[in-house]
Amino acid sequence: MDEIVGIDLGTTNSLIGIMDAGFPILLADADGARLTPSVVALPEDGPPLVGSPAQRMRALRPRETIYSIKRFMGLRGDDLRDEDMDVSYEIDRSGAQVSARVNGQRYSPEEISALILGKLKANAEAALGHAVSHAVITVPAYFNDAQRSATKRAGELAGFAVERIVNEPTAAALAYGLDKLSTRAKIAVYDLGGGTFDISILELNNAVFEVLATNGNTHLGGDDIDTALIRHLIQNHDHLAANPEAISRLREAAIAAKHKLSSEEFATIEIPFLDGETNFSATISRAELEQLGRPVIERTRAHCRRVLADAKLEPADLDEVILVGGVTRMPFVRQFVAEVFGREPNVTQNPDETVAIGATIQAGILSGAVRDVVLLDVTPLSLGIETFGGLMNVIIPRNSTIPIKAGEMFTTAVHNQRSMSIKVLQGEREMAKDNWTLGQFEIEFEAAPKGIARVGVQFEIDVNGILHVLARDTRTGSEKVVALQSAIDVSDEAVEAMIGDSLEHAFTDMAERVWTEAELKSNEMLAAVDAALLLVNEDLEPAMRDTILQRVSDVRAALRSREAKRLKDANDALDRATETLAARIVAKALESAGTP
Ligand code: ADP
Ligand code: MG
């Protein structure tokens, strides 16, 4: 199957990505922007403009600039409500299908969306240097058949074979890596975008996400915060309100200030000659912005309550709450979500990119990893990196044909880990120390709780047999590439010796791997049980406490014995003894968080 791109066709912004040997990357336009505004300008006197250039036309040519077209996708005239008509261009609801009318011409929502998709396609092709023709496109979970079909037609109009339409919350959950959660895990996806709010509850069932319930509001989002902010800014400048061009320049500056306030405490807005005469200047604090935005965010609360009721769940039944949509970058929105759901949301991904990343992962799953490679040579020995516990993790197995690219995602093993040391290894032995080290380097990332930072490591052996190792922090996109010595230029004797050794040590090597893995698990559980006992100390019945302490000391004894089987059994027994402990802790945490 050909390569497939993943597309988030958003109400406000759209993105496109592709699977690059093992992990998803988003493709930028010529200016380096990964977000393309979902805006199309149709000037009478020129060709259509799409994306940022169209966005700039919005103020100058409001009647010729189409935005938020997704709201009209697949709708009939009588599906529209009055608030839907509140756009600066003309909407024609007379025909069987809603359309936009610009300069006497009718445009269906599919046609407008196709222009946006076409722009993404062109950006991707320019970035990749070759054509792309297959796509996965995401839609809101509540989209009905007509809306999904319209989205598919838009893709086809843009020249794509649309391989699948995927629900946005499902894509987001994939991007957060939640397909790795245990089966029947329940996930809330809180998605606050530019003009729409969606809240969905998913359940993981045999590695497939099922939408249990969905709710939301198609007229609620970051735009409302912008409007409140602008109203606040022009309070004492009455004359500005009647000057659309000034308001439009102010809006642009206000949005930039709003974004800045997600990471800083203050922002200043300076616009020279805003009304042609006077300069505009204002400083706004994060606290002020939060006060203006709070009523907007508060409106999402009822939808969250309703979706839980529809799914017949309590907040405590959720295994994970994830954030999607640019507005959830605002710290007070994160706090709000934590309060509503009685648990900290998972903030490990860029909220405005997760849907596109997930669409791309889905595209990668569909296309499979089949590669069309010319058989040039093979790798004589396996290549990999050292992982926690000193184990060898193979990335390119021996006898792979080159050129070849392969990659994998890794997570951190320690809380607040700031960097990961990538040790590149070659050889067939289970333990890193028994293989040859080809090189070593560090990749840095933002501190995060253990297991959350995700680093993609990609190995590429070019036609010359040179190994290029790339490590990328999947969250910030920061990356490091290192070229190492020839990976295939190994003497036959050395290869034979290595393979001979690996066969000779096969049993002891395997035993060592099994032991190391059990040991890692013990250490993790012992730390978790210690912390848990501290937390629920006085509420625990003495009998249960004694059992747990007994199991803990069994694990410690097994650790000293160095018998793998005994350690695994002791781990399992401790795991069983602490099952109810875990439930208590969750209950306790909720109690102290004062869930509504
Ligand atoms: P959609 O899914 O509707 O296409 P997005 O997820 O791209 O929209 O969200 C766009 C909204 O997010 C806009 O209102 C934008 O101003 C807001 N936004 C983006 N980045 C930030 C930020 N750093 N702080 C606050 N709001 C942001
Ligand atoms: Mg979105």
Side-chain angles (χ1 to χ4, degrees):
M1 158 87 56
D2 289 310
E3 79 185 338
I4 307 178
V5 292
I7 296 178
D8 170 8
L9 181 61
T11 308
T12 316
N13 295 302
S14 298
L15 302 94
I16 187 164
I18 197 156
M19 210 67 185
D20 181 20
F23 56 91
I25 54 163
L26 297 178
L27 299 167
D29 64 11
D31 299 325
R34 299 194 280 204
L35 262 64
T36 294
S38 305
V39 184
V40 173
L42 299 160
E44 192 159 27
D45 46 357
L49 300 173
V50 185
S52 310
Q55 176 83 308
R56 288 192 284 272
M57 296 288 283
R58 230 177 116 167
L60 304 173
R61 307 268 189 94
R63 297 185 56 78
E64 297 178 353
T65 311
I66 301 187
Y67 57 90
S68 295
I69 194 67
K70 188 172 173 181
R71 290 206 175 119
F72 303 104
M73 207 66 155
L75 296 191
R76 300 149 46 92
D78 44 11
D79 294 330
L80 288 190
R81 291 169 303 169
D82 289 342
E83 69 243 49
D84 295 325
M85 306 298 284
D86 183 25
V87 285
S88 65
Y89 51 94
E90 191 184 335
I91 287 291
D92 182 342
R93 63 207 289 190
S94 62
Q97 235 215 4
V98 175
S99 58
R101 190 193 285 276
V102 179
N103 297 322
Q105 279 264 90
R106 288 173 57 134
Y107 298 89
S108 69
E110 288 100 295
E111 287 173 290
I112 300 298
S113 302
L115 290 170
I116 299 166
L117 291 166
K119 172 81 162 99
L120 294 174
K121 186 168 186 276
N123 288 348
E125 291 178 342
L128 293 168
H130 62 255
V132 292
S133 51
H134 298 258
V136 164
I137 306 178
T138 56
V139 295
Y142 61 77
F143 258 29
N144 62 24
D145 260 1
Q147 292 169 300
R148 285 166 198 260
S149 306
T151 304
K152 184 152 185 256
R153 275 199 303 280
E156 287 160 358
L157 277 175
F160 283 116
V162 180
E163 298 297 331
R164 192 166 294 186
I165 296 288
V166 177
N167 287 328
E168 287 163 12
T170 301
L174 260 184
Y176 274 90
L178 301 186
D179 48 326
K180 307 286 182 322
L181 288 178
S182 62
T183 202
R184 307 218 77 95
K186 294 176 187 61
I187 303 150
V189 183
Y190 182 101
D191 179 352
L192 191 54
T196 55
F197 170 62
D198 297 316
I199 175 78
S200 316
I201 308 265
L202 308 181
E203 184 180 61
L204 189 57
N205 239 335
N206 297 322
V208 174
F209 294 104
E210 235 174 76
V211 180
L212 291 185
T214 172
N215 209 291
N217 186 331
T218 51
H219 292 273
L220 177 60
D223 298 347
D224 299 308
I225 301 179
D226 304 343
T227 304
L229 176 55
I230 291 158
R231 211 172 280 151
H232 168 79
L233 290 170
I234 61 171
Q235 247 168 31
N236 303 316
H237 306 268
D238 292 340
H239 64 292
L240 285 178
N243 181 342
E245 203 188 324
I247 291 294
S248 144
R249 286 173 67 197
L250 189 59
R251 177 177 293 270
E252 206 170 300
I255 292 173
K258 176 185 78 169
H259 292 185
K260 191 168 174 210
L261 288 172
S262 288
S263 51
E264 282 166 47
E265 290 295 331
F266 292 93
T268 31
I269 297 175
E270 305 270 3
I271 311 176
F273 308 114
L274 179 58
D275 55 2
E277 290 164 23
T278 49
N279 300 335
F280 183 91
S281 157
T283 296
I284 175 118
S285 70
R286 182 188 288 179
E288 283 172 290
L289 178 66
E290 289 178 352
Q291 207 184 342
L292 292 165
R294 189 159 301 278
V296 177
I297 304 306
E298 269 304 330
R299 289 171 59 199
T300 67
R301 186 189 297 272
H303 297 291
C304 295
R305 288 237 174 92
R306 226 165 299 144
V307 82
L308 282 169
D310 288 349
K312 302 196 173 51
L313 294 175
E314 298 289 327
D317 299 326
L318 297 171
D319 296 277
E320 195 89 54
V321 177
I322 62 176
L323 297 178
V324 181
V327 180
T328 65
R329 285 181 182 268
M330 299 178 84
F332 90 111
V333 176
R334 297 179 171 194
Q335 283 156 20
F336 175 85
V337 175
E339 186 228 311
V340 171
F341 289 98
R343 65 185 304 136
E344 287 301 322
N346 183 331
V347 295
T348 57
Q349 300 292 311
N350 284 338
D352 40 5
E353 295 182 342
T354 47
V355 169
I357 292 275
T360 302
I361 294 174
Q362 181 66 56
I365 294 170
L366 290 178
S367 66
V370 191
R371 266 179 298 261
D372 265 338
V373 286
V374 192
L375 191 122
L376 279 175
D377 207 338
V378 296
T379 53
L381 292 170
S382 302
L383 293 158
I385 66 170
E386 178 175 333
T387 54
F388 202 46
L391 295 170
M392 163 80 168
N393 184 302
V394 173
I395 292 183
I396 297 182
R398 96 189 196 83
N399 281 338
S400 302
T401 53
I402 64 162
I404 187 174
K405 244 187 187 186
E408 237 182 276
M409 309 259 254
F410 295 91
T411 56
T412 48
V414 180
H415 274 304
N416 290 326
Q417 193 174 328
R418 303 293 309 242
S419 67
M420 197 182 272
S421 173
I422 310 281
K423 192 175 197 180
V424 183
L425 304 167
Q426 183 169 36
E428 306 309 312
R429 304 287 299 274
E430 296 284 352
M431 304 306 294
K433 65 176 180 353
D434 297 319
N435 290 317
W436 303 325
T437 301
L438 296 185
Q440 187 161 4
F441 62 97
E442 299 266 322
I443 168 115
E444 271 134 31
F445 36 80
E446 290 167 23
K450 155 176 156 181
I452 276 178
R454 298 213 286 165
V455 173
V457 175
Q458 186 181 86
F459 279 19
E460 176 175 16
I461 306 178
D462 63 20
V463 287
N464 301 315
I466 304 293
L467 171 65
H468 304 265
V469 179
L470 176 152
R472 180 189 281 131
D473 177 355
T474 58
R475 184 170 171 201
T476 60
S478 84
E479 63 180 33
K480 206 171 240 185
V481 189
V482 178
L484 298 168
Q485 79 224 49
S486 168
I488 54 165
D489 207 0
V490 186
S491 76
D492 289 348
E493 289 86 337
V495 170
E496 266 165 37
M498 171 57 85
I499 293 169
D501 272 354
S502 79
L503 292 175
E504 191 182 317
H505 295 106
F507 284 110
T508 44
D509 272 13
M510 192 37 88
E512 196 158 2
R513 175 180 279 272
V514 169
W515 170 261
T516 307
E517 282 169 356
E519 190 181 28
L520 289 172
K521 171 138 199 247
S522 305
N523 291 334
E524 205 167 88
M525 279 203 299
L526 290 174
V529 170
D530 276 350
L533 285 177
L534 272 179
L535 204 69
V536 291
N537 193 15
E538 68 277 23
D539 309 344
L540 205 58
E541 301 84 7
M544 187 189 279
R545 187 184 174 84
D546 287 349
T547 312
I548 292 173
L549 289 177
Q550 183 54 49
R551 298 289 170 263
V552 164
S553 88
D554 290 347
V555 170
R556 292 195 200 284
L559 273 171
R560 286 190 298 272
S561 78
R562 294 201 62 84
E563 288 166 38
K565 169 90 173 61
R566 180 171 165 193
L567 185 56
K568 279 172 76 176
D569 291 345
N571 281 346
D572 291 345
L574 176 58
D575 212 352
R576 282 194 301 276
T578 52
E579 260 166 14
T580 45
L581 193 57
R584 297 275 183 94
I585 293 174
V586 173
K588 174 129 180 161
L590 288 174
E591 207 177 286
S592 56
T595 3

